[in-house]
């Protein structure tokens, strides 16, 4: 029996893109192998969306690295409601507001590690990224304890930052998983965080993962933005990320 | 005025028309997020019964967003052809559904009356229609547009080749274009969503797309889906730009959140027309829409997301676009929760667009946090083909590595062509035959590595790049 799979003689072009090109076909359809590869990638993404952040493990790892930590939850009661009601994920649960461990003197920067849409990303990349960031921080900057936030959206950082009396909040949050990466981390910086900040008032560094934007480059971008934000007293559309101009080798 | 309907001695009251429309909508997460969905199954049907008895005239005379507050409302009212509308003004919404489905209402009648159909009329009647009704009536509508080929002819299906790359690498984009062309995709447009908004990066993309189309004499058009202001600047600096793209929505405030207005869209269209790059026609605009965008911008005015979406087609209609597509499942589960809601929304959007005379295609798609999978997309794809959708997206393996969502693949289009006997746009079909990529019956032909077009395109892919 002849192989019914019609191959595509342009597989060499795969060197230029990770897109699913030259998959071949059976009749009008994808070959079995490609269908299952796609389904596997989707399964990874689905599991990433629905997995919960292991706060105990993350806290232990952070403390081993010498960080102080505290943890907060949003008002979303569970993962399903979290997906349906983004507004709940943007507000702190009333119980979280009274946690004494989150109270501190006024600081310059509050880092938050949040599950967002990929707890896997937060768990895998939060701590190693913070290690790279720490190496670049100015000793003059006062830091809040690292906040671990669950069932969180980006804007939850506004209330956390305000609560911590921080000049700047840096939200390290799991991004919506794609098929090529279920574990991309995003960093959102907001100057003078408080309820009601808009996305236009934030800066974002996206696709942080070893196979995407490396920890080292991401840390350089984030710290460049931190320094600019504290100096110019703003984040958002008026603060263009020009870190490449100063960071590129040579 | 208030609206009411009585069921078994219980009176269901609705304070205004937009509440009737919202509560009559099939259930979807976005309307609940907005706090305007029906609170019970019976209330939903009470709203539909109430809506069915309203005369179409009422929908025209009571704008869901006040005339003074919203330029989209003003556009809808000011452009409404009263004399034409008088032919159907006496019908109730329920009668209008019957009339649409009747065998005496044909393509010619629907085409003639399309300008009299306001978005609120289209949205209202869709709420009384089952999926099969939406499919049957959409099938009867015919919207034909032209730039370098002819889109929307009966028995045809076109595909937007969407060769996105996460860093806009021209080689990566070119490689995906080669893949798509050899699968027979690209007659609707070759359209790239750039990751960057840097004008120098975008110019490189426009030049590369133009080069591919000109060198290989492909009867199609290109588009780089960036903000309209960047495209106007590009036109002013002499970039070879075919179609002007913009995301649009159904309220003035939502459009403002996109950084556009009707005046800006008109300016962009004039700029594109000034280039005179269309060979067969002057449909130079490409719009994208999607349910939930107005609410997402907190600009929905308490109007349900499907009615807001239909209002976006009134915006599109004003600018005689070549292509409009609803990116139906991109926005996420807080607006369209699962496969059922995405499928329903896709059919509604296609129906409303076609009824209003807009060349609607659909980005049949979903994100990984929605309760949907490939089977749901197969269902919507198949239903839309039955409904006569103008075009769908073609993404390598259905996996968009730049936008991180799942759309439809080149293979999906092959499936529809073989199942429904759908052909390419005629000019593009002739090119594919000339290149020996399909036979006279439209069947994809095997290709060897010695194929001259493949060799030329491969060489071009290796040569392109910012520093080539």
């Amino acid at each position: 029996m002849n192989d019914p799979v019609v191959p595509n003689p342009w597989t060499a072009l795969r060197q230029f893109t990770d897109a699913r090109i030259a998959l071949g076909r059976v009749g009008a359809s994808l070959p079995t192998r490609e269908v299952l590869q796609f389904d596997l990638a989707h399964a990874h993404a689905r599991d990433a969306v629905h997995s919960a952040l292991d706060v105990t493990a993350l806290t232990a790892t952070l403390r081993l690295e010498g960080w102080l930590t505290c943890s907060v939850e949003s008002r979303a009661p569970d993962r399903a409601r979290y997906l349906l009601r983004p507004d709940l994920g943007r507000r702190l649960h009333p119980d979280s507001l009274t946690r004494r461990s989150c109270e501190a003197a006024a600081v310059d920067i509050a880092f938050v590690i949040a599950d967002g849409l990929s707890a896997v990303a937060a768990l895998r990349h939060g701590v190693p990224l913070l290690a790279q960031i720490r190496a670049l921080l100015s000793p003059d900057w006062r830091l809040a304890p690292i906040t671990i936030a669950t069932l969180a959206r980006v804007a939850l950082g506004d209330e956390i930052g305000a609560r911590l009396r921080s000049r700047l909040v840096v939200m390290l949050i799991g991004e919506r998983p794609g098929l090529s990466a279920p574990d991309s981390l995003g960093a959102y910086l907001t100057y003078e965080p408080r309820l009601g900040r808009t996305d236009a008032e934030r800066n974002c560094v996206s696709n942080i993962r070893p196979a995407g934007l490396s920890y080292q480059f991401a840390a350089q971008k984030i710290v460049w933005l931190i320094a600019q934000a504290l100096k110019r007293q703003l984040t958002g559309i008026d603060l263009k990320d020009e870190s490449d101009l100063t960071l590129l080798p040579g | 005025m208030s609206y009411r309907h009585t069921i078994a001695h219980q009176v269901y009251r609705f304070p205004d028309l937009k509440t009737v429309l919202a509560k009559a909508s099939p259930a979807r997460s976005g309307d609940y997020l907005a706090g305007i969905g029906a609170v019970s199954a019976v209330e939903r049907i009470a709203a539909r019964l109430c809506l069915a008895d309203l005369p179409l005239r009422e929908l025209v005379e009571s704008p869901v967003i006040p005339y003074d507050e919203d330029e989209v409302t003003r556009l809808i009212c000011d452009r409404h052809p009263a004399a034409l509308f008088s032919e159907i003004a006496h019908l109730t919404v329920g009668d209008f559904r019957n009339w649409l489905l009747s065998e005496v209402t044909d393509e010619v009648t629907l085409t003639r009356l399309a300008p009299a159909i306001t978005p609120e009329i289209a949205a209202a009647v869709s709420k009384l229609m089952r999926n099969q009704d939406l499919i049957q009536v959409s099938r009867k509508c015919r919207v034909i547009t032209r730039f370098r080929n002819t889109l929307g002819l009966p028995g045809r299906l076109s595909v937007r080749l969407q060769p996105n790359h996460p860093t806009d690498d021209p080689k990566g984009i070119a490689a995906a274009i080669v893949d798509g062309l050899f699968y027979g995709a690209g007659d609707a447009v070759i359209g790239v969503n750039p990751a960057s908004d840097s004008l120098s990066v975008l110019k490189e993309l426009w030049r590369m797309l133009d080069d591919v189309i000109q060198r290989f004499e492909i009867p199609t058009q290109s588009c780089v889906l960036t903000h309209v202001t960047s495209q106007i600047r590009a036109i002013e600096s002499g970039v070879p730009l075919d179609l002007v793209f913009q995301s649009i929505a159904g309220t003035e405030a939502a459009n403002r959140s996109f950084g556009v207005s009707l005046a800006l869209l008109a300016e962009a269209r004039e700029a594109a027309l000034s280039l005179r790059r269309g060979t067969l026609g002057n449909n130079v605009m490409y719009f994208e829409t999607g349910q939930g965008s107005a609410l997402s911008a907190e600009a929905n005015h308490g109007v349900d997301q499907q009615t807001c979406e239909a209002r976006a087609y009134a915006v599109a209609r004003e600018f005689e676009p070549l292509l409009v597509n609803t990116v139906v499942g991109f926005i996420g589960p807080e607006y369209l929760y699962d496969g059922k809601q995405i499928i329903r929304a896709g059919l509604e959007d296609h129906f409303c667009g076609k009824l209003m005379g807009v060349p609607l295609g659909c980005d049949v798609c979903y994100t990984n946090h929605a309760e949907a999978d490939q089977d749901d997309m197969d269902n919507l794809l198949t239903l839309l083909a039955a409904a006569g959708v103008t075009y769908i997206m073609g993404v390598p393996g259905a996996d968009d590595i730049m936008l991180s969502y799942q759309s439809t693949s080149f293979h999906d289009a092959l499936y529809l062509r073989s199942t429904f006997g759908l052909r390419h746009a005629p000019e593009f079909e002739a090119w594919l035959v000339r290149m020996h990529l399909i036979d006279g019956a439209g069947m994809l032909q095997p290709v060897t590595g010695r194929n001259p077009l493949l060799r030329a395109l491969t060489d071009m892919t290796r040569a392109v790049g910012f520093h080539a």
Side-chain angles (χ1 to χ4, degrees), chain A residues 91-221:
Chain A
R91 293 299 308 275
L92 275 174
H93 192 280
D95 294 350
S96 293
L97 291 169
T98 57
R99 287 279 158 85
R100 291 193 58 81
S101 58
C102 285
E103 290 171 7
V107 294
D108 296 302
I109 313 164
F111 288 101
V112 182
I113 299 180
D115 50 2
L117 288 168
S118 174
V120 184
L123 193 62
R124 277 186 198 157
H125 309 316
V127 177
L129 175 63
L130 273 175
Q132 295 275 346
I133 289 174
R134 177 153 62 181
L136 301 172
L137 290 176
S138 158
D140 297 337
W141 293 335
R142 295 160 300 165
L143 305 186
I146 308 295
T147 305
I148 300 169
T150 47
L151 299 177
R153 300 273 174 177
V154 170
L156 188 70
D158 297 345
E159 206 172 352
I160 294 170
R163 173 77 187 153
L164 293 171
R165 291 192 288 146
S166 182
R167 291 175 66 203
L168 180 75
V169 67
V170 181
M171 191 81 171
L172 307 175
I173 188 166
E175 295 181 328
R176 176 162 60 79
L179 292 196
S180 37
D183 64 339
S184 267
L185 194 73
Y188 289 82
L189 292 84
T190 312
Y191 187 75
E192 279 187 357
R194 55 177 152 78
L195 278 180
R197 287 285 183 208
T198 68
D199 290 343
E201 296 172 302
R202 311 184 200 286
N203 288 89
C204 175
V205 178
S206 189
N207 196 27
I208 303 168
R209 59 191 167 97
L213 185 66
S214 70
Y215 299 143
Q216 188 196 344
F217 266 111
Q220 288 178 3
K221 275 179 178 292

Side-chain angles (χ1 to χ4, degrees), chain B residues 281-301:
Chain B
N282 281 320
N283 300 115
V284 294
M285 302 299 283
Y286 173 14
F287 295 120
E288 285 190 350
T289 66
Q291 289 191 26
S293 60
L295 175 60
S296 166
E298 296 179 3
N300 65 318
H301 299 265

Side-chain angles (χ1 to χ4, degrees), chain B residues 366-400:
Chain B
Y366 65 107
T367 58
N368 288 317
H369 61 321
E371 290 296 318
D373 61 19
Q374 291 301 101
D375 290 335
D376 296 305
M377 297 305 107
D378 288 347
N379 290 349
L380 179 53
L381 188 69
T382 308
L383 296 172
L384 282 169
V389 70
T390 304
Y391 72 108
I392 58 169
M393 308 305 119
V395 177
D399 172 12
D400 190 308

Side-chain angles (χ1 to χ4, degrees), chain A residues 180, chain B residues 163-168 192-196 399-405:
Chain A
S180 37
Chain B
N164 297 343
H165 187 276
T167 60
D168 300 327
V192 182
N193 299 87
S196 171
D399 172 12
D400 190 308
I401 58 172
M402 200 290 272
L403 294 169
S404 288
Y405 77 123

Side-chain angles (χ1 to χ4, degrees), chain A residues 8 10 20 22 24 46 176-177, chain B residues 172 179 183 368 370-371 399 404 411:
Chain A
N8 296 140
W10 54 90
R20 291 170 197 256
R46 293 292 289 161
R176 176 162 60 79
Chain B
D179 197 56
Y183 272 95
N368 288 317
E371 290 296 318
D399 172 12
S404 288
H411 296 73

